[in-house]
Every structure is written in C-alpha cells, then in structure tokens.
Amino acid sequence: MHSSPPAAAPPVRAPRHAPVAHLVRGGVVEGVHYGSVVVLEADGTAGFRLGDPEAAFYPRSALKPVQAVAMVRAGLPLDGDLLSLAAASHSGEERHLDGARRILERAALTEDHLRNVPDLPFGPAVRDTWVRAGRGPSPLAQNCSGKHAAMLYTAKLNGWSLDDYLDPAHPLQQAVAETVEDLTGQRVATVTVDGCGAPLFAVSLEGLARAAARIAGGAPGTPERRVADAMRTHAEMASGEGRDVAALMRAVPGLLAKDGASRGNLFGGPDGRAVAVKIADDSAGRARVPVTAAALTRAGVDPSLLTAFAGETVLGGGRPVGGVRPVAGLGAAAEAVCV
C-alpha cells in the first residue's frame, strides 16, 4: 500500500512554537499567540516553515480525512454526503444525526453498537436547542458519530468483530495506522486515545500537510479523491452550518479543509500544495482563522478569496480598535525561528 517506505517517526518533545499572531489594540501588541505552520509546494517540498512543524503532535479530528481514506481502502462503499460525514466533526444538526443513522442502517446495526463517548451536540445553537428540549448526552449527537458509524460499517463488511472496534490492535485500527503512515510518509510516533474513544496517532505537522496534499490531490476514483470530493461537495456535512472550515471550502475552489481539537488543522489544494496549522493555546481559537488565511496565501491562494477570514475585530467602546493579525506576513521573521 505504501508508495514508498515511511520515514522515521517524528521526535516526541516539547514543541518549539513561535509567535504566529498578535492581538493588537490601538496599535499596541496586547497579546501573542504561539503555534507552528508549514506550507508544502506542489512537489512536496516545504516552501515555508514557522515554529516546530517537525515535532510529534496529536492532530485530533484533523486526522479524520485520513481515517476515512483508510476505511474506503478497506471497502467502505460510502460516497457523497455520507462519506463526508464519515470524516466529520459535525455540529449535531438533524442532517448529521440522520446521516449517522443511515450509515448504521446500511450496516444493519443500531445506535447501541456505537462506542463513542456520549455528548451534547458540538454546535452551540444546536446544543442550546437540545438542552432546552430536555435531551441529554448521546453517542449519536457526539461530533464523531459519523466516523464511528462508518468504522462499524467497515468492520461489519470485513467480518471483523464489532464490540472492540476501537481497540488499537483491531484489524480496522491497524488498517488506519497503516494508512496514517502511508499518507503522512512517516512512522507514527506514539498512540493514545482521542476524546471520542478512537485510537489517536501522533505525527508531525509536516506529515499532516503531506497527508492533506495526498488526499486533496488524489487521482479520480482513488479512495483519497473520493474522500476529498465528498468533503468539498458536502462541506457542511463534514462540519456544520456557519463553520469556518465549510466557509473556506466554499470560498476557495478545490480546497480541502478539516479542523481539529487542540487547534490542529489541515488544508490541501488540488494542485498538490498543502498547509497545516497548529495553534499552541487550545483556547486561542481566534488566532486559527487569520493564521490559516495568511498561510493559504503563502500556498498561492488568491488573497481576494480570503478577505472574509481576516480574523475577529477588537472593539473598544463598541468601535473597532484592533484585531488579531498574523505575524509579519507569516514570513519576515520565520527563518530565525524555524527548526
């Protein structure tokens, strides 16, 4: 399956993040957000690095497109909106819950077979409506239920056991690990458990970008291309109404975008270029979008397509007085802090 033997695993160390964005108020830098960024050229070389894109980290849900490719390689027959849902961190909208049910029905399974952690819907508006209706946490409402339903379907099709489908030693998860190493081009550094209960593989940010490039630029008919096309065509199924990753895929033709907890993100274009972004502070969601937009311009995306992603405005007395700004075009000081 490997196009070439994977390289050594990335080093496990405290990441050497660098400033990637400034919180500016009235012309003064009020705060600094740290992180790492890598931009890959179409030939796979790193055209830009900032921070520490070579250290091992957990991509969290940004790895879901890779997991979806692994399932398609293992025979998962989904396409379109349901394949997009298999790679989703969904908001818990009714279309997402209905889609997860449809996947389970195709496998002749029920919600009781799901082993992901029960949770409330991820989308704030959907969650508020859910709670007002007196509904509690549910595996189906949890944002990874599409992935888990697809994992069960894949296991069922292959005659693999169902109760332990989340065990790292299960054939399904072994197939996922092999695909992670194939698409990232490197050995997995270590394995833990993600928030939903599925195995989570540590790779480098640069490896994640390579995976994005492989998936987004896959040849027609390949598992990679099927996943990319499903997510690009059904962007809200992979996320939800009003989510920025869906808006980015709508704004930039051919872009594949996937966010993850802990602010790890992958972006791939059909020309083989790719971007991966990691914001160090898990609470610094406001830095993720403007940093991503700046990195995408480094990858050749027309800046005019990204004007809506410049970042939130800082208000003073109800008036704009600043905002979150990427550092020096994500380039001027990069060479001094790259590793």
Side-chain angles (χ1 to χ4, degrees), residues 37-78:
V37 179
V38 63
V39 178
L40 298 186
E41 303 294 347
D43 62 1
T45 60
F48 175 80
R49 294 187 180 97
L50 178 60
D52 193 1
E54 297 175 348
F57 87 115
Y58 291 119
R60 303 294 301 276
S61 285
L63 202 62
K64 283 178 178 173
V66 179
Q67 293 169 310
V69 169
M71 289 187 275
V72 174
R73 287 180 174 183
L76 182 68
L78 300 178

PDB file of all heavy atoms in Angstrom, residues 37-78:
ATOM      1  N   VAL A  37       3.431  26.466  11.705  1.00  0.00           N
ATOM      2  CA  VAL A  37       2.812  26.477  10.379  1.00  0.00           C
ATOM      3  C   VAL A  37       3.777  25.846   9.391  1.00  0.00           C
ATOM      4  O   VAL A  37       4.988  26.050   9.475  1.00  0.00           O
ATOM      5  CB  VAL A  37       2.501  27.922   9.913  1.00  0.00           C
ATOM      6  CG1 VAL A  37       1.876  27.914   8.515  1.00  0.00           C
ATOM      7  CG2 VAL A  37       1.585  28.634  10.895  1.00  0.00           C
ATOM      8  N   VAL A  38       3.243  25.072   8.459  1.00  0.00           N
ATOM      9  CA  VAL A  38       4.040  24.578   7.350  1.00  0.00           C
ATOM     10  C   VAL A  38       3.235  24.701   6.067  1.00  0.00           C
ATOM     11  O   VAL A  38       2.023  24.466   6.064  1.00  0.00           O
ATOM     12  CB  VAL A  38       4.506  23.119   7.583  1.00  0.00           C
ATOM     13  CG1 VAL A  38       3.330  22.168   7.672  1.00  0.00           C
ATOM     14  CG2 VAL A  38       5.476  22.670   6.499  1.00  0.00           C
ATOM     15  N   VAL A  39       3.913  25.106   4.993  1.00  0.00           N
ATOM     16  CA  VAL A  39       3.304  25.201   3.662  1.00  0.00           C
ATOM     17  C   VAL A  39       4.111  24.319   2.727  1.00  0.00           C
ATOM     18  O   VAL A  39       5.327  24.500   2.591  1.00  0.00           O
ATOM     19  CB  VAL A  39       3.294  26.657   3.142  1.00  0.00           C
ATOM     20  CG1 VAL A  39       2.700  26.706   1.739  1.00  0.00           C
ATOM     21  CG2 VAL A  39       2.513  27.563   4.090  1.00  0.00           C
ATOM     22  N   LEU A  40       3.451  23.360   2.096  1.00  0.00           N
ATOM     23  CA  LEU A  40       4.112  22.475   1.146  1.00  0.00           C
ATOM     24  C   LEU A  40       3.852  22.934  -0.275  1.00  0.00           C
ATOM     25  O   LEU A  40       2.728  23.291  -0.630  1.00  0.00           O
ATOM     26  CB  LEU A  40       3.618  21.039   1.300  1.00  0.00           C
ATOM     27  CG  LEU A  40       3.864  20.339   2.630  1.00  0.00           C
ATOM     28  CD1 LEU A  40       3.434  18.874   2.533  1.00  0.00           C
ATOM     29  CD2 LEU A  40       5.325  20.441   3.056  1.00  0.00           C
ATOM     30  N   GLU A  41       4.889  22.905  -1.083  1.00  0.00           N
ATOM     31  CA  GLU A  41       4.752  23.202  -2.510  1.00  0.00           C
ATOM     32  C   GLU A  41       4.165  21.988  -3.225  1.00  0.00           C
ATOM     33  O   GLU A  41       4.048  20.900  -2.662  1.00  0.00           O
ATOM     34  CB  GLU A  41       6.113  23.576  -3.099  1.00  0.00           C
ATOM     35  CG  GLU A  41       6.795  24.740  -2.415  1.00  0.00           C
ATOM     36  CD  GLU A  41       6.050  26.056  -2.602  1.00  0.00           C
ATOM     37  OE1 GLU A  41       5.135  26.111  -3.466  1.00  0.00           O
ATOM     38  OE2 GLU A  41       6.365  27.027  -1.908  1.00  0.00           O
ATOM     39  N   ALA A  42       3.845  22.176  -4.487  1.00  0.00           N
ATOM     40  CA  ALA A  42       3.218  21.104  -5.255  1.00  0.00           C
ATOM     41  C   ALA A  42       4.123  19.879  -5.395  1.00  0.00           C
ATOM     42  O   ALA A  42       3.629  18.760  -5.561  1.00  0.00           O
ATOM     43  CB  ALA A  42       2.811  21.618  -6.635  1.00  0.00           C
ATOM     44  N   ASP A  43       5.441  20.077  -5.309  1.00  0.00           N
ATOM     45  CA  ASP A  43       6.366  18.942  -5.431  1.00  0.00           C
ATOM     46  C   ASP A  43       6.624  18.255  -4.101  1.00  0.00           C
ATOM     47  O   ASP A  43       7.439  17.330  -4.017  1.00  0.00           O
ATOM     48  CB  ASP A  43       7.690  19.394  -6.060  1.00  0.00           C
ATOM     49  CG  ASP A  43       8.439  20.426  -5.218  1.00  0.00           C
ATOM     50  OD1 ASP A  43       7.947  20.787  -4.119  1.00  0.00           O
ATOM     51  OD2 ASP A  43       9.509  20.889  -5.657  1.00  0.00           O
ATOM     52  N   GLY A  44       5.936  18.713  -3.046  1.00  0.00           N
ATOM     53  CA  GLY A  44       6.067  18.078  -1.748  1.00  0.00           C
ATOM     54  C   GLY A  44       7.110  18.682  -0.845  1.00  0.00           C
ATOM     55  O   GLY A  44       7.204  18.299   0.329  1.00  0.00           O
ATOM     56  N   THR A  45       7.900  19.611  -1.349  1.00  0.00           N
ATOM     57  CA  THR A  45       8.899  20.257  -0.508  1.00  0.00           C
ATOM     58  C   THR A  45       8.254  21.333   0.353  1.00  0.00           C
ATOM     59  O   THR A  45       7.231  21.910  -0.015  1.00  0.00           O
ATOM     60  CB  THR A  45      10.016  20.890  -1.356  1.00  0.00           C
ATOM     61  OG1 THR A  45       9.446  21.880  -2.234  1.00  0.00           O
ATOM     62  CG2 THR A  45      10.722  19.836  -2.191  1.00  0.00           C
ATOM     63  N   ALA A  46       8.864  21.601   1.489  1.00  0.00           N
ATOM     64  CA  ALA A  46       8.353  22.623   2.394  1.00  0.00           C
ATOM     65  C   ALA A  46       8.836  23.998   1.925  1.00  0.00           C
ATOM     66  O   ALA A  46      10.014  24.318   2.026  1.00  0.00           O
ATOM     67  CB  ALA A  46       8.804  22.351   3.820  1.00  0.00           C
ATOM     68  N   GLY A  47       7.907  24.789   1.410  1.00  0.00           N
ATOM     69  CA  GLY A  47       8.255  26.126   0.952  1.00  0.00           C
ATOM     70  C   GLY A  47       8.299  27.135   2.076  1.00  0.00           C
ATOM     71  O   GLY A  47       8.859  28.221   1.929  1.00  0.00           O
ATOM     72  N   PHE A  48       7.707  26.781   3.213  1.00  0.00           N
ATOM     73  CA  PHE A  48       7.659  27.713   4.340  1.00  0.00           C
ATOM     74  C   PHE A  48       7.448  26.930   5.617  1.00  0.00           C
ATOM     75  O   PHE A  48       6.618  26.016   5.674  1.00  0.00           O
ATOM     76  CB  PHE A  48       6.512  28.711   4.141  1.00  0.00           C
ATOM     77  CG  PHE A  48       6.308  29.649   5.303  1.00  0.00           C
ATOM     78  CD1 PHE A  48       7.105  30.762   5.469  1.00  0.00           C
ATOM     79  CD2 PHE A  48       5.317  29.392   6.241  1.00  0.00           C
ATOM     80  CE1 PHE A  48       6.921  31.616   6.543  1.00  0.00           C
ATOM     81  CE2 PHE A  48       5.125  30.237   7.312  1.00  0.00           C
ATOM     82  CZ  PHE A  48       5.932  31.364   7.470  1.00  0.00           C
ATOM     83  N   ARG A  49       8.215  27.258   6.646  1.00  0.00           N
ATOM     84  CA  ARG A  49       8.041  26.683   7.965  1.00  0.00           C
ATOM     85  C   ARG A  49       8.121  27.796   9.010  1.00  0.00           C
ATOM     86  O   ARG A  49       8.916  28.719   8.881  1.00  0.00           O
ATOM     87  CB  ARG A  49       9.139  25.656   8.292  1.00  0.00           C
ATOM     88  CG  ARG A  49       9.147  24.383   7.455  1.00  0.00           C
ATOM     89  CD  ARG A  49      10.174  23.415   8.040  1.00  0.00           C
ATOM     90  NE  ARG A  49      10.271  22.168   7.317  1.00  0.00           N
ATOM     91  CZ  ARG A  49      11.182  21.907   6.387  1.00  0.00           C
ATOM     92  NH1 ARG A  49      12.062  22.846   6.064  1.00  0.00           N
ATOM     93  NH2 ARG A  49      11.208  20.740   5.777  1.00  0.00           N
ATOM     94  N   LEU A  50       7.317  27.659  10.028  1.00  0.00           N
ATOM     95  CA  LEU A  50       7.357  28.589  11.150  1.00  0.00           C
ATOM     96  C   LEU A  50       7.088  27.789  12.416  1.00  0.00           C
ATOM     97  O   LEU A  50       6.165  26.963  12.448  1.00  0.00           O
ATOM     98  CB  LEU A  50       6.293  29.680  10.983  1.00  0.00           C
ATOM     99  CG  LEU A  50       6.161  30.721  12.094  1.00  0.00           C
ATOM    100  CD1 LEU A  50       7.470  31.490  12.283  1.00  0.00           C
ATOM    101  CD2 LEU A  50       5.041  31.696  11.788  1.00  0.00           C
ATOM    102  N   GLY A  51       7.899  28.006  13.443  1.00  0.00           N
ATOM    103  CA  GLY A  51       7.725  27.243  14.673  1.00  0.00           C
ATOM    104  C   GLY A  51       8.380  25.889  14.590  1.00  0.00           C
ATOM    105  O   GLY A  51       9.534  25.776  14.201  1.00  0.00           O
ATOM    106  N   ASP A  52       7.640  24.852  14.927  1.00  0.00           N
ATOM    107  CA  ASP A  52       8.197  23.496  15.001  1.00  0.00           C
ATOM    108  C   ASP A  52       7.288  22.487  14.313  1.00  0.00           C
ATOM    109  O   ASP A  52       6.635  21.661  14.967  1.00  0.00           O
ATOM    110  CB  ASP A  52       8.393  23.117  16.472  1.00  0.00           C
ATOM    111  CG  ASP A  52       9.243  21.871  16.655  1.00  0.00           C
ATOM    112  OD1 ASP A  52       9.694  21.299  15.644  1.00  0.00           O
ATOM    113  OD2 ASP A  52       9.455  21.465  17.810  1.00  0.00           O
ATOM    114  N   PRO A  53       7.232  22.518  12.986  1.00  0.00           N
ATOM    115  CA  PRO A  53       6.356  21.572  12.281  1.00  0.00           C
ATOM    116  C   PRO A  53       6.911  20.161  12.206  1.00  0.00           C
ATOM    117  O   PRO A  53       6.274  19.289  11.620  1.00  0.00           O
ATOM    118  CB  PRO A  53       6.242  22.191  10.884  1.00  0.00           C
ATOM    119  CG  PRO A  53       7.520  22.946  10.704  1.00  0.00           C
ATOM    120  CD  PRO A  53       7.870  23.473  12.066  1.00  0.00           C
ATOM    121  N   GLU A  54       8.077  19.914  12.798  1.00  0.00           N
ATOM    122  CA  GLU A  54       8.682  18.590  12.726  1.00  0.00           C
ATOM    123  C   GLU A  54       8.453  17.758  13.981  1.00  0.00           C
ATOM    124  O   GLU A  54       8.720  16.559  13.975  1.00  0.00           O
ATOM    125  CB  GLU A  54      10.180  18.724  12.463  1.00  0.00           C
ATOM    126  CG  GLU A  54      10.488  19.377  11.113  1.00  0.00           C
ATOM    127  CD  GLU A  54      11.969  19.618  10.913  1.00  0.00           C
ATOM    128  OE1 GLU A  54      12.723  19.497  11.903  1.00  0.00           O
ATOM    129  OE2 GLU A  54      12.367  19.923   9.785  1.00  0.00           O
ATOM    130  N   ALA A  55       7.988  18.368  15.068  1.00  0.00           N
ATOM    131  CA  ALA A  55       7.763  17.624  16.311  1.00  0.00           C
ATOM    132  C   ALA A  55       6.473  16.817  16.234  1.00  0.00           C
ATOM    133  O   ALA A  55       5.528  17.184  15.534  1.00  0.00           O
ATOM    134  CB  ALA A  55       7.701  18.591  17.493  1.00  0.00           C
ATOM    135  N   ALA A  56       6.430  15.727  16.974  1.00  0.00           N
ATOM    136  CA  ALA A  56       5.213  14.918  17.041  1.00  0.00           C
ATOM    137  C   ALA A  56       4.123  15.673  17.785  1.00  0.00           C
ATOM    138  O   ALA A  56       4.382  16.369  18.766  1.00  0.00           O
ATOM    139  CB  ALA A  56       5.507  13.605  17.756  1.00  0.00           C
ATOM    140  N   PHE A  57       2.891  15.554  17.283  1.00  0.00           N
ATOM    141  CA  PHE A  57       1.734  16.118  17.962  1.00  0.00           C
ATOM    142  C   PHE A  57       0.516  15.287  17.589  1.00  0.00           C
ATOM    143  O   PHE A  57       0.557  14.467  16.671  1.00  0.00           O
ATOM    144  CB  PHE A  57       1.546  17.598  17.595  1.00  0.00           C
ATOM    145  CG  PHE A  57       0.732  17.837  16.348  1.00  0.00           C
ATOM    146  CD1 PHE A  57      -0.492  18.486  16.423  1.00  0.00           C
ATOM    147  CD2 PHE A  57       1.184  17.411  15.098  1.00  0.00           C
ATOM    148  CE1 PHE A  57      -1.254  18.708  15.276  1.00  0.00           C
ATOM    149  CE2 PHE A  57       0.431  17.643  13.957  1.00  0.00           C
ATOM    150  CZ  PHE A  57      -0.792  18.291  14.055  1.00  0.00           C
ATOM    151  N   TYR A  58      -0.565  15.481  18.318  1.00  0.00           N
ATOM    152  CA  TYR A  58      -1.796  14.767  18.020  1.00  0.00           C
ATOM    153  C   TYR A  58      -2.723  15.664  17.185  1.00  0.00           C
ATOM    154  O   TYR A  58      -3.191  16.691  17.675  1.00  0.00           O
ATOM    155  CB  TYR A  58      -2.510  14.359  19.310  1.00  0.00           C
ATOM    156  CG  TYR A  58      -1.790  13.285  20.088  1.00  0.00           C
ATOM    157  CD1 TYR A  58      -1.342  13.522  21.380  1.00  0.00           C
ATOM    158  CD2 TYR A  58      -1.565  12.024  19.530  1.00  0.00           C
ATOM    159  CE1 TYR A  58      -0.691  12.533  22.104  1.00  0.00           C
ATOM    160  CE2 TYR A  58      -0.903  11.036  20.237  1.00  0.00           C
ATOM    161  CZ  TYR A  58      -0.476  11.293  21.529  1.00  0.00           C
ATOM    162  OH  TYR A  58       0.177  10.311  22.243  1.00  0.00           O
ATOM    163  N   PRO A  59      -2.998  15.298  15.942  1.00  0.00           N
ATOM    164  CA  PRO A  59      -3.854  16.136  15.091  1.00  0.00           C
ATOM    165  C   PRO A  59      -5.310  16.164  15.517  1.00  0.00           C
ATOM    166  O   PRO A  59      -6.083  16.980  15.013  1.00  0.00           O
ATOM    167  CB  PRO A  59      -3.722  15.493  13.704  1.00  0.00           C
ATOM    168  CG  PRO A  59      -2.518  14.623  13.776  1.00  0.00           C
ATOM    169  CD  PRO A  59      -2.442  14.171  15.191  1.00  0.00           C
ATOM    170  N   ARG A  60      -5.682  15.253  16.419  1.00  0.00           N
ATOM    171  CA  ARG A  60      -7.071  15.140  16.850  1.00  0.00           C
ATOM    172  C   ARG A  60      -7.969  14.937  15.628  1.00  0.00           C
ATOM    173  O   ARG A  60      -7.661  14.156  14.742  1.00  0.00           O
ATOM    174  CB  ARG A  60      -7.476  16.346  17.700  1.00  0.00           C
ATOM    175  CG  ARG A  60      -6.576  16.568  18.943  1.00  0.00           C
ATOM    176  CD  ARG A  60      -6.693  15.453  19.958  1.00  0.00           C
ATOM    177  NE  ARG A  60      -8.044  15.276  20.464  1.00  0.00           N
ATOM    178  CZ  ARG A  60      -8.580  15.978  21.467  1.00  0.00           C
ATOM    179  NH1 ARG A  60      -7.875  16.924  22.059  1.00  0.00           N
ATOM    180  NH2 ARG A  60      -9.812  15.723  21.883  1.00  0.00           N
ATOM    181  N   SER A  61      -9.074  15.674  15.523  1.00  0.00           N
ATOM    182  CA  SER A  61     -10.022  15.418  14.437  1.00  0.00           C
ATOM    183  C   SER A  61      -9.522  15.848  13.066  1.00  0.00           C
ATOM    184  O   SER A  61     -10.157  15.510  12.060  1.00  0.00           O
ATOM    185  CB  SER A  61     -11.358  16.101  14.736  1.00  0.00           C
ATOM    186  OG  SER A  61     -12.059  15.395  15.732  1.00  0.00           O
ATOM    187  N   ALA A  62      -8.423  16.580  13.012  1.00  0.00           N
ATOM    188  CA  ALA A  62      -7.848  16.901  11.705  1.00  0.00           C
ATOM    189  C   ALA A  62      -7.391  15.646  10.975  1.00  0.00           C
ATOM    190  O   ALA A  62      -7.165  15.661   9.763  1.00  0.00           O
ATOM    191  CB  ALA A  62      -6.684  17.877  11.854  1.00  0.00           C
ATOM    192  N   LEU A  63      -7.274  14.539  11.716  1.00  0.00           N
ATOM    193  CA  LEU A  63      -6.857  13.275  11.103  1.00  0.00           C
ATOM    194  C   LEU A  63      -8.029  12.509  10.493  1.00  0.00           C
ATOM    195  O   LEU A  63      -7.835  11.482   9.836  1.00  0.00           O
ATOM    196  CB  LEU A  63      -6.163  12.410  12.159  1.00  0.00           C
ATOM    197  CG  LEU A  63      -5.212  11.321  11.671  1.00  0.00           C
ATOM    198  CD1 LEU A  63      -4.044  11.922  10.906  1.00  0.00           C
ATOM    199  CD2 LEU A  63      -4.705  10.492  12.847  1.00  0.00           C
ATOM    200  N   LYS A  64      -9.240  12.981  10.680  1.00  0.00           N
ATOM    201  CA  LYS A  64     -10.407  12.220  10.216  1.00  0.00           C
ATOM    202  C   LYS A  64     -10.426  11.956   8.703  1.00  0.00           C
ATOM    203  O   LYS A  64     -10.860  10.870   8.285  1.00  0.00           O
ATOM    204  CB  LYS A  64     -11.691  12.908  10.654  1.00  0.00           C
ATOM    205  CG  LYS A  64     -12.005  12.688  12.126  1.00  0.00           C
ATOM    206  CD  LYS A  64     -13.254  13.424  12.549  1.00  0.00           C
ATOM    207  CE  LYS A  64     -13.579  13.158  14.010  1.00  0.00           C
ATOM    208  NZ  LYS A  64     -14.690  13.987  14.507  1.00  0.00           N
ATOM    209  N   PRO A  65     -10.008  12.882   7.850  1.00  0.00           N
ATOM    210  CA  PRO A  65      -9.958  12.525   6.426  1.00  0.00           C
ATOM    211  C   PRO A  65      -9.043  11.329   6.157  1.00  0.00           C
ATOM    212  O   PRO A  65      -9.321  10.511   5.272  1.00  0.00           O
ATOM    213  CB  PRO A  65      -9.452  13.797   5.755  1.00  0.00           C
ATOM    214  CG  PRO A  65      -9.857  14.899   6.678  1.00  0.00           C
ATOM    215  CD  PRO A  65      -9.698  14.314   8.056  1.00  0.00           C
ATOM    216  N   VAL A  66      -7.945  11.224   6.920  1.00  0.00           N
ATOM    217  CA  VAL A  66      -7.038  10.088   6.764  1.00  0.00           C
ATOM    218  C   VAL A  66      -7.730   8.804   7.220  1.00  0.00           C
ATOM    219  O   VAL A  66      -7.636   7.755   6.564  1.00  0.00           O
ATOM    220  CB  VAL A  66      -5.747  10.325   7.567  1.00  0.00           C
ATOM    221  CG1 VAL A  66      -4.806   9.132   7.426  1.00  0.00           C
ATOM    222  CG2 VAL A  66      -5.052  11.611   7.108  1.00  0.00           C
ATOM    223  N   GLN A  67      -8.433   8.873   8.335  1.00  0.00           N
ATOM    224  CA  GLN A  67      -9.179   7.702   8.808  1.00  0.00           C
ATOM    225  C   GLN A  67     -10.244   7.285   7.795  1.00  0.00           C
ATOM    226  O   GLN A  67     -10.468   6.091   7.572  1.00  0.00           O
ATOM    227  CB  GLN A  67      -9.817   8.013  10.163  1.00  0.00           C
ATOM    228  CG  GLN A  67      -8.803   8.215  11.281  1.00  0.00           C
ATOM    229  CD  GLN A  67      -9.431   8.785  12.538  1.00  0.00           C
ATOM    230  OE1 GLN A  67     -10.155   9.785  12.482  1.00  0.00           O
ATOM    231  NE2 GLN A  67      -9.162   8.177  13.685  1.00  0.00           N
ATOM    232  N   ALA A  68     -10.879   8.270   7.173  1.00  0.00           N
ATOM    233  CA  ALA A  68     -11.897   7.955   6.166  1.00  0.00           C
ATOM    234  C   ALA A  68     -11.274   7.269   4.953  1.00  0.00           C
ATOM    235  O   ALA A  68     -11.847   6.328   4.397  1.00  0.00           O
ATOM    236  CB  ALA A  68     -12.633   9.221   5.741  1.00  0.00           C
ATOM    237  N   VAL A  69     -10.103   7.740   4.523  1.00  0.00           N
ATOM    238  CA  VAL A  69      -9.407   7.077   3.413  1.00  0.00           C
ATOM    239  C   VAL A  69      -9.108   5.623   3.772  1.00  0.00           C
ATOM    240  O   VAL A  69      -9.292   4.712   2.946  1.00  0.00           O
ATOM    241  CB  VAL A  69      -8.106   7.825   3.067  1.00  0.00           C
ATOM    242  CG1 VAL A  69      -7.247   7.002   2.095  1.00  0.00           C
ATOM    243  CG2 VAL A  69      -8.417   9.186   2.444  1.00  0.00           C
ATOM    244  N   ALA A  70      -8.664   5.391   5.009  1.00  0.00           N
ATOM    245  CA  ALA A  70      -8.367   4.022   5.436  1.00  0.00           C
ATOM    246  C   ALA A  70      -9.607   3.141   5.335  1.00  0.00           C
ATOM    247  O   ALA A  70      -9.535   1.985   4.889  1.00  0.00           O
ATOM    248  CB  ALA A  70      -7.849   4.025   6.868  1.00  0.00           C
ATOM    249  N   MET A  71     -10.749   3.680   5.711  1.00  0.00           N
ATOM    250  CA  MET A  71     -11.983   2.889   5.656  1.00  0.00           C
ATOM    251  C   MET A  71     -12.404   2.611   4.215  1.00  0.00           C
ATOM    252  O   MET A  71     -12.846   1.501   3.891  1.00  0.00           O
ATOM    253  CB  MET A  71     -13.089   3.587   6.430  1.00  0.00           C
ATOM    254  CG  MET A  71     -12.867   3.554   7.931  1.00  0.00           C
ATOM    255  SD  MET A  71     -14.270   4.215   8.866  1.00  0.00           S
ATOM    256  CE  MET A  71     -13.925   5.969   8.852  1.00  0.00           C
ATOM    257  N   VAL A  72     -12.250   3.592   3.336  1.00  0.00           N
ATOM    258  CA  VAL A  72     -12.581   3.367   1.926  1.00  0.00           C
ATOM    259  C   VAL A  72     -11.639   2.329   1.337  1.00  0.00           C
ATOM    260  O   VAL A  72     -12.055   1.443   0.568  1.00  0.00           O
ATOM    261  CB  VAL A  72     -12.530   4.687   1.140  1.00  0.00           C
ATOM    262  CG1 VAL A  72     -12.736   4.432  -0.352  1.00  0.00           C
ATOM    263  CG2 VAL A  72     -13.610   5.653   1.644  1.00  0.00           C
ATOM    264  N   ARG A  73     -10.376   2.388   1.687  1.00  0.00           N
ATOM    265  CA  ARG A  73      -9.426   1.378   1.227  1.00  0.00           C
ATOM    266  C   ARG A  73      -9.825  -0.014   1.710  1.00  0.00           C
ATOM    267  O   ARG A  73      -9.561  -1.016   1.034  1.00  0.00           O
ATOM    268  CB  ARG A  73      -8.015   1.705   1.730  1.00  0.00           C
ATOM    269  CG  ARG A  73      -7.348   2.882   1.027  1.00  0.00           C
ATOM    270  CD  ARG A  73      -5.954   3.129   1.597  1.00  0.00           C
ATOM    271  NE  ARG A  73      -5.227   4.151   0.865  1.00  0.00           N
ATOM    272  CZ  ARG A  73      -3.962   4.522   1.121  1.00  0.00           C
ATOM    273  NH1 ARG A  73      -3.308   3.924   2.127  1.00  0.00           N
ATOM    274  NH2 ARG A  73      -3.374   5.456   0.405  1.00  0.00           N
ATOM    275  N   ALA A  74     -10.456  -0.065   2.879  1.00  0.00           N
ATOM    276  CA  ALA A  74     -10.881  -1.350   3.447  1.00  0.00           C
ATOM    277  C   ALA A  74     -12.253  -1.783   2.950  1.00  0.00           C
ATOM    278  O   ALA A  74     -12.787  -2.782   3.434  1.00  0.00           O
ATOM    279  CB  ALA A  74     -10.880  -1.266   4.969  1.00  0.00           C
ATOM    280  N   GLY A  75     -12.822  -1.040   2.001  1.00  0.00           N
ATOM    281  CA  GLY A  75     -14.063  -1.475   1.379  1.00  0.00           C
ATOM    282  C   GLY A  75     -15.299  -0.682   1.722  1.00  0.00           C
ATOM    283  O   GLY A  75     -16.400  -1.037   1.271  1.00  0.00           O
ATOM    284  N   LEU A  76     -15.182   0.383   2.515  1.00  0.00           N
ATOM    285  CA  LEU A  76     -16.362   1.185   2.857  1.00  0.00           C
ATOM    286  C   LEU A  76     -16.979   1.737   1.570  1.00  0.00           C
ATOM    287  O   LEU A  76     -16.328   2.469   0.830  1.00  0.00           O
ATOM    288  CB  LEU A  76     -15.960   2.337   3.781  1.00  0.00           C
ATOM    289  CG  LEU A  76     -17.099   3.231   4.269  1.00  0.00           C
ATOM    290  CD1 LEU A  76     -18.024   2.476   5.216  1.00  0.00           C
ATOM    291  CD2 LEU A  76     -16.534   4.482   4.945  1.00  0.00           C
ATOM    292  N   PRO A  77     -18.252   1.436   1.277  1.00  0.00           N
ATOM    293  CA  PRO A  77     -18.839   1.800  -0.015  1.00  0.00           C
ATOM    294  C   PRO A  77     -19.551   3.149  -0.027  1.00  0.00           C
ATOM    295  O   PRO A  77     -20.342   3.414  -0.925  1.00  0.00           O
ATOM    296  CB  PRO A  77     -19.828   0.660  -0.258  1.00  0.00           C
ATOM    297  CG  PRO A  77     -20.308   0.302   1.112  1.00  0.00           C
ATOM    298  CD  PRO A  77     -19.137   0.503   2.029  1.00  0.00           C
ATOM    299  N   LEU A  78     -19.271   4.010   0.945  1.00  0.00           N
ATOM    300  CA  LEU A  78     -19.961   5.297   1.012  1.00  0.00           C
ATOM    301  C   LEU A  78     -19.358   6.302   0.039  1.00  0.00           C
ATOM    302  O   LEU A  78     -18.171   6.252  -0.282  1.00  0.00           O
ATOM    303  CB  LEU A  78     -19.887   5.862   2.431  1.00  0.00           C
ATOM    304  CG  LEU A  78     -20.510   5.030   3.552  1.00  0.00           C
ATOM    305  CD1 LEU A  78     -20.305   5.723   4.890  1.00  0.00           C
ATOM    306  CD2 LEU A  78     -21.984   4.773   3.290  1.00  0.00           C
TER     307      LEU A  78
END
